[in-house]
Coordinates of all heavy atoms in Angstrom, one line a residue:
I243 N -21.5 184.2 -4.1 CA -22.4 185.1 -3.5 C -23.0 186.1 -4.5 O -22.4 186.2 -5.6 CB -21.7 185.9 -2.3 CG1 -20.4 186.6 -2.9 CG2 -21.3 185.0 -1.2 CD1 -19.7 187.5 -1.9
P244 N -24.2 186.6 -4.3 CA -24.9 187.4 -5.3 C -24.1 188.6 -5.9 O -24.1 188.8 -7.1 CB -26.1 187.9 -4.6 CG -26.4 186.9 -3.5 CD -25.0 186.5 -3.0
S245 N -23.3 189.3 -5.1 CA -22.6 190.4 -5.6 C -21.5 190.0 -6.7 O -21.2 190.9 -7.5 CB -21.9 191.2 -4.5 OG -20.9 190.4 -3.8
L246 N -21.0 188.8 -6.6 CA -20.1 188.3 -7.6 C -20.7 187.8 -8.9 O -20.1 187.6 -9.9 CB -19.2 187.3 -7.0 CG -18.3 187.7 -5.8 CD1 -17.5 186.5 -5.3 CD2 -17.4 188.9 -6.1
S247 N -22.0 187.6 -8.8 CA -22.7 187.0 -10.0 C -23.1 188.0 -11.0 O -23.6 187.7 -12.1 CB -24.0 186.3 -9.5 OG -25.0 187.2 -9.0
C248 N -22.9 189.3 -10.7 CA -23.3 190.3 -11.7 C -22.3 190.5 -12.8 O -22.7 190.7 -13.9 CB -23.5 191.7 -10.9 SG -24.7 191.6 -9.7
N249 N -21.0 190.5 -12.5 CA -20.0 190.7 -13.5 C -18.7 189.8 -13.4 O -18.3 189.2 -14.4 CB -19.5 192.2 -13.5 CG -20.4 193.1 -14.2 OD1 -20.7 192.9 -15.4 ND2 -20.9 194.1 -13.5
I250 N -18.2 189.7 -12.2 CA -16.9 189.0 -12.1 C -17.0 187.5 -12.5 O -16.3 187.0 -13.3 CB -16.4 189.1 -10.6 CG1 -15.8 190.5 -10.4 CG2 -15.2 188.1 -10.4 CD1 -15.3 190.8 -9.0
F292 N -16.9 185.7 1.0 CA -16.0 186.6 1.7 C -15.5 186.0 3.0 O -16.2 185.1 3.5 CB -16.7 188.0 1.9 CG -18.0 187.9 2.7 CD1 -18.0 187.9 4.0 CD2 -19.2 187.8 1.9 CE1 -19.2 187.9 4.7 CE2 -20.4 187.8 2.6 CZ -20.4 187.8 4.0
F308 N -8.8 187.6 -4.0 CA -8.6 189.0 -4.3 C -9.3 189.8 -3.2 O -10.0 189.3 -2.4 CB -9.1 189.4 -5.7 CG -10.6 189.2 -5.9 CD1 -11.6 190.1 -5.6 CD2 -11.0 188.0 -6.4 CE1 -12.9 189.9 -5.8 CE2 -12.3 187.7 -6.7 CZ -13.3 188.7 -6.4
R309 N -9.0 191.1 -3.2 CA -9.6 192.0 -2.2 C -10.8 192.8 -2.9 O -10.7 193.1 -4.1 CB -8.6 193.1 -1.7 CG -7.6 192.5 -0.8 CD -8.1 192.1 0.5 NE -8.5 193.2 1.4 CZ -9.1 193.1 2.6 NH1 -9.3 191.9 3.0 NH2 -9.4 194.2 3.3
D310 N -11.8 193.1 -2.1 CA -13.0 193.7 -2.7 C -13.4 194.8 -1.7 O -13.0 194.8 -0.5 CB -14.1 192.7 -2.8 CG -15.2 193.1 -3.7 OD1 -15.0 194.1 -4.4 OD2 -16.2 192.4 -3.8
R311 N -14.1 195.8 -2.2 CA -14.6 196.9 -1.4 C -16.1 197.2 -1.6 O -16.5 197.2 -2.8 CB -13.8 198.2 -1.6 CG -14.2 199.4 -0.8 CD -13.4 200.6 -1.2 NE -12.0 200.5 -0.8 CZ -11.5 200.7 0.4 NH1 -12.3 201.0 1.4 NH2 -10.2 200.5 0.7
L312 N -16.8 197.4 -0.5 CA -18.2 197.8 -0.6 C -18.3 199.3 -0.5 O -17.6 199.9 0.3 CB -19.0 197.1 0.5 CG -19.1 195.6 0.5 CD1 -19.8 195.1 1.7 CD2 -19.8 195.1 -0.8
W313 N -19.2 199.9 -1.3 CA -19.4 201.3 -1.3 C -20.9 201.6 -0.9 O -21.7 200.8 -1.2 CB -19.2 201.9 -2.7 CG -17.7 201.8 -3.2 CD1 -17.2 200.7 -3.8 CD2 -16.7 202.8 -3.0 NE1 -15.9 201.0 -4.1 CE2 -15.5 202.2 -3.6 CE3 -16.6 204.0 -2.4 CZ2 -14.3 202.9 -3.6 CZ3 -15.4 204.7 -2.5 CH2 -14.3 204.2 -3.1
V314 N -21.1 202.7 -0.3 CA -22.5 203.2 -0.1 C -23.1 203.7 -1.4 O -22.5 204.5 -2.0 CB -22.5 204.3 1.0 CG1 -24.0 204.6 1.3 CG2 -21.9 203.8 2.3
V315 N -24.2 203.1 -1.7 CA -24.8 203.4 -3.0 C -26.2 204.0 -2.8 O -27.0 203.6 -1.9 CB -24.9 202.1 -3.9 CG1 -25.6 202.4 -5.2 CG2 -23.6 201.5 -4.1
L341 N -28.1 192.7 1.8 CA -28.2 191.3 1.6 C -28.0 190.6 2.9 O -27.3 191.1 3.8 CB -27.1 190.9 0.6 CG -27.2 191.3 -0.8 CD1 -25.9 191.1 -1.6 CD2 -28.4 190.6 -1.5
Y350 N -24.3 193.8 8.8 CA -23.8 195.1 8.3 C -24.3 196.3 9.2 O -23.5 197.2 9.4 CB -24.5 195.3 6.9 CG -24.0 194.3 5.9 CD1 -24.9 193.5 5.2 CD2 -22.6 194.2 5.5 CE1 -24.4 192.6 4.3 CE2 -22.2 193.3 4.6 CZ -23.1 192.5 3.9 OH -22.7 191.6 3.0
I371 N -30.4 190.3 -5.3 CA -29.6 191.5 -5.6 C -30.4 192.3 -6.6 O -30.2 193.6 -6.6 CB -28.2 191.1 -6.1 CG1 -27.3 192.3 -6.0 CG2 -28.3 190.5 -7.5 CD1 -25.8 191.9 -6.1
L374 N -32.7 194.3 -4.5 CA -32.0 195.3 -3.8 C -31.6 196.5 -4.6 O -31.9 197.7 -4.2 CB -30.7 194.6 -3.2 CG -29.8 195.5 -2.4 CD1 -29.1 194.6 -1.3 CD2 -28.7 196.2 -3.2
K375 N -31.1 196.3 -5.8 CA -30.8 197.4 -6.7 C -32.1 198.2 -7.1 O -32.0 199.5 -7.1 CB -30.2 196.9 -8.0 CG -28.8 196.3 -7.9 CD -28.3 195.8 -9.2 CE -27.0 195.1 -9.2 NZ -26.5 194.6 -10.5
I378 N -33.2 200.5 -4.2 CA -32.4 201.7 -4.1 C -32.7 202.7 -5.2 O -32.7 203.9 -5.0 CB -30.9 201.3 -4.1 CG1 -30.6 200.4 -2.9 CG2 -30.0 202.5 -4.1 CD1 -29.2 199.8 -3.0
G385 N -27.7 201.4 0.2 CA -27.2 200.0 0.2 C -25.7 200.0 0.1 O -25.0 201.0 -0.2
L386 N -25.1 198.8 0.4 CA -23.7 198.6 0.3 C -23.5 197.6 -0.9 O -24.0 196.5 -0.9 CB -23.2 198.0 1.6 CG -23.1 198.9 2.8 CD1 -22.9 198.1 4.0 CD2 -21.9 199.9 2.6
M387 N -22.7 198.1 -1.9 CA -22.4 197.2 -3.1 C -21.0 197.5 -3.5 O -20.5 198.6 -3.5 CB -23.4 197.6 -4.2 CG -24.9 197.3 -3.9 SD -25.2 195.5 -3.9 CE -24.9 195.1 -5.6
P388 N -20.3 196.4 -4.1 CA -19.1 196.7 -4.7 C -19.3 197.3 -6.1 O -20.4 197.1 -6.7 CB -18.5 195.2 -4.9 CG -19.7 194.3 -4.8 CD -20.7 195.0 -4.0
A389 N -18.4 198.1 -6.6 CA -18.6 198.8 -7.8 C -18.8 197.9 -9.0 O -19.6 198.2 -9.9 CB -17.4 199.8 -8.1
H390 N -18.1 196.7 -9.0 CA -18.2 195.8 -10.1 C -19.6 195.2 -10.2 O -20.0 194.8 -11.3 CB -17.2 194.7 -10.1 CG -17.2 193.9 -8.8 ND1 -18.1 192.9 -8.5 CD2 -16.4 194.0 -7.7 CE1 -17.9 192.4 -7.3 NE2 -16.9 193.1 -6.8
A391 N -20.4 195.1 -9.1 CA -21.7 194.5 -9.1 C -22.8 195.5 -9.7 O -23.9 195.1 -10.0 CB -22.1 194.1 -7.7
I392 N -22.4 196.8 -9.7 CA -23.4 197.8 -10.3 C -22.8 198.6 -11.4 O -23.1 199.7 -11.7 CB -23.8 198.8 -9.1 CG1 -22.6 199.4 -8.5 CG2 -24.7 198.1 -8.1 CD1 -22.9 200.5 -7.5
Q393 N -21.8 197.9 -12.1 CA -21.1 198.6 -13.2 C -22.1 199.1 -14.3 O -22.0 200.3 -14.7 CB -20.2 197.6 -13.9 CG -19.4 198.1 -15.0 CD -18.4 197.1 -15.6 OE1 -17.9 196.2 -14.9 NE2 -18.1 197.2 -16.9
N394 N -23.1 198.3 -14.7 CA -24.0 198.8 -15.7 C -24.9 199.9 -15.2 O -25.2 200.9 -15.9 CB -24.9 197.6 -16.2 CG -24.1 196.5 -16.9 OD1 -23.1 196.8 -17.4 ND2 -24.6 195.3 -16.8
E395 N -25.3 199.8 -13.9 CA -26.2 200.8 -13.3 C -25.4 202.2 -13.1 O -26.0 203.2 -13.3 CB -26.7 200.4 -12.0 CG -27.8 199.3 -12.1 CD -27.2 197.9 -12.3 OE1 -25.9 197.8 -12.2 OE2 -28.0 196.9 -12.5
L396 N -24.1 202.1 -12.9 CA -23.3 203.3 -12.7 C -23.1 203.9 -14.1 O -23.2 205.2 -14.2 CB -21.9 202.9 -12.2 CG -21.9 202.5 -10.7 CD1 -20.5 202.0 -10.3 CD2 -22.3 203.6 -9.8
L401 N -27.7 204.3 -10.7 CA -27.1 204.3 -9.3 C -25.9 205.1 -9.3 O -25.2 205.3 -10.3 CB -26.8 202.8 -8.9 CG -28.0 201.9 -8.6 CD1 -27.5 200.5 -8.3 CD2 -28.9 202.4 -7.5
Q402 N -25.5 205.5 -8.1 CA -24.3 206.4 -7.9 C -23.7 206.1 -6.5 O -24.4 205.8 -5.5 CB -24.7 207.8 -8.0 CG -23.6 208.8 -8.1 CD -24.0 210.2 -8.4 OE1 -25.2 210.4 -8.8 NE2 -23.1 211.2 -8.2
Q403 N -22.3 206.1 -6.5 CA -21.6 205.8 -5.3 C -21.5 207.2 -4.5 O -21.2 208.2 -5.1 CB -20.2 205.3 -5.6 CG -20.2 204.0 -6.2 CD -18.8 203.6 -6.8 OE1 -18.3 204.3 -7.6 NE2 -18.2 202.6 -6.2
F411 N -15.5 198.0 5.3 CA -16.1 197.3 4.3 C -15.2 196.9 3.1 O -15.6 196.7 2.0 CB -17.4 198.0 3.8 CG -18.5 198.0 4.8 CD1 -18.9 199.1 5.4 CD2 -19.1 196.8 5.1 CE1 -19.9 199.1 6.3 CE2 -20.1 196.7 6.1 CZ -20.5 197.9 6.7
S412 N -13.9 196.9 3.4 CA -12.9 196.2 2.5 C -12.8 194.8 3.0 O -12.6 194.5 4.1 CB -11.6 197.0 2.6 OG -10.6 196.4 1.7
R413 N -12.9 193.8 2.1 CA -13.0 192.4 2.4 C -12.2 191.6 1.5 O -12.0 191.9 0.3 CB -14.4 192.0 2.5 CG -15.2 192.1 1.2 CD -16.6 191.9 1.3 NE -17.3 191.9 0.0 CZ -18.6 191.5 -0.3 NH1 -19.3 191.2 0.8 NH2 -19.1 191.5 -1.5
I415 N -12.0 188.1 -0.7 CA -12.9 187.1 -1.4 C -12.1 185.9 -1.6 O -10.9 185.9 -2.0 CB -13.3 187.6 -2.8 CG1 -14.1 188.9 -2.6 CG2 -14.1 186.6 -3.5 CD1 -15.4 188.8 -1.9
G440 N -11.4 188.9 -10.9 CA -11.7 189.6 -9.6 C -10.7 190.7 -9.4 O -11.0 191.8 -9.1
L443 N -11.4 193.5 -12.1 CA -12.7 194.2 -12.0 C -12.8 194.9 -10.6 O -13.4 195.9 -10.5 CB -13.9 193.3 -12.3 CG -13.9 192.8 -13.7 CD1 -15.1 191.9 -13.9 CD2 -14.1 194.0 -14.7
A444 N -12.3 194.2 -9.6 CA -12.5 194.7 -8.2 C -11.3 195.6 -7.9 O -11.3 196.4 -6.9 CB -12.6 193.6 -7.2
G445 N -10.2 195.4 -8.6 CA -9.0 196.3 -8.4 C -8.2 196.0 -7.1 O -7.5 196.9 -6.7
G446 N -8.3 194.8 -6.6 CA -7.6 194.5 -5.4 C -6.9 193.2 -5.4 O -7.6 192.1 -5.3

Side-chain angles (χ1 to χ4, degrees):
I243 57 175
S245 62
L246 299 180
S247 69
C248 299
N249 278 305
I250 288 180
F292 56 88
F308 58 91
R309 291 289 291 175
D310 199 8
R311 180 183 294 278
L312 297 174
W313 298 86
V314 181
V315 179
L341 291 169
Y350 296 120
I371 197 165
L374 181 146
K375 292 180 184 181
I378 297 173
L386 287 166
M387 295 290 294
H390 55 79
I392 53 172
Q393 180 178 331
N394 295 335
E395 290 81 5
L396 291 174
L401 289 175
Q402 191 171 346
Q403 294 167 298
F411 289 113
S412 179
R413 60 189 187 173
I415 299 297
L443 295 175

